Amino acid sequence: MTELTGKTALVTGSVQGIGLSIATCLAKAGARVALHGLATPEQAAEAVAAVKGAGAPEAKFFDADIRDIAAVDAMMQAVAEWGGADILVNNAGIQKTASYAELDAATWDAIIGVNLSGAFHTMRHALPVMAERGYGRVINIASVHGLVASVNKAPYVASKFGLVGMSKVAALEYAAAGTKAKGGVTVNCIAPGWTETVLIEPQVAARAALHGGDRDLGIADLLAEKQPTKRTSNPSEIGELALWLCNPVAHNVTGTTIPVDGGWTAQ
């Protein structure tokens, strides 16, 4: 287990799913955790309690619409006053499946705003401070759709390809920051394939409908089409990989995109 005592992590989109699993893994290693999301007070309180229960010495919820630049600026200032983000995980993301003929400008703007622009605005605040400290980790949760495309996902694929490219630029700009001993500043993406989250539920439902409403058959249909292992990932698996990337021994792992996709992108 990586020792993160004294470090502060900001994980966007962390009240459920992959984000909460990452926050929990970092908490187990002793990090203070800044949680974020659009959530009810009850959902926010539950997430904070879960992270504290996992071992975080402190946890706090930050409420900001990631599409709103002013709101992101305010959140990053508040996190800075709370101790600053040594670790930034951009996990907030939305998706809508629709063809070019069905998509509208509002859907495009929303998906790009959350998945790509929001990550840029958190990074531009966090990275200079990480460089000053000599240690920093930016982990952007991309997708296999940051590496390969699928039909009916134009804005989502565009946002994730953009996130991968943007991360490479940041990795190069901050490659020389810090030292091996301190861990340096790294920027990487994790690219999950089919993972058990609410984000894939609309696609599961659509496939299940083709099999008389059988959810298990719907999932099997999705996996057979794309993911050679025919196994989904659990969000905690993404969390454990994010935790490893925070280890100082990963100081030379930067500018990468690591698929967790059962061989999807190897085809």
Side-chain angles (χ1 to χ4, degrees), residues 65-105:
D65 184 341
I66 211 75
R67 298 169 297 180
D68 183 337
I69 297 172
V72 174
D73 289 345
M75 177 181 71
M76 296 306 293
Q77 178 60 37
V79 171
E81 292 170 358
W82 195 57
D86 301 292
I87 299 160
L88 169 63
V89 182
N90 282 305
N91 174 72
I94 58 174
Q95 180 182 178
K96 180 178 180 179
T97 56
S99 69
Y100 269 93
E102 298 165 323
L103 285 164
D104 56 26

Side-chain angles (χ1 to χ4, degrees), residues 31 40 68 72 107 131 187:
T40 65
D68 183 337
V72 174
T107 300
V187 183

Side-chain angles (χ1 to χ4, degrees), residues 155-195:
Y156 187 75
V157 170
S159 71
K160 296 302 186 178
F161 265 72
L163 187 60
V164 168
M166 185 172 72
S167 300
K168 289 177 182 291
V169 173
L172 292 173
E173 290 189 10
Y174 287 90
T179 63
K180 182 187 292 189
K182 285 190 173 183
V185 176
T186 68
V187 183
N188 294 288
C189 289
I190 298 175
W194 292 121
T195 306

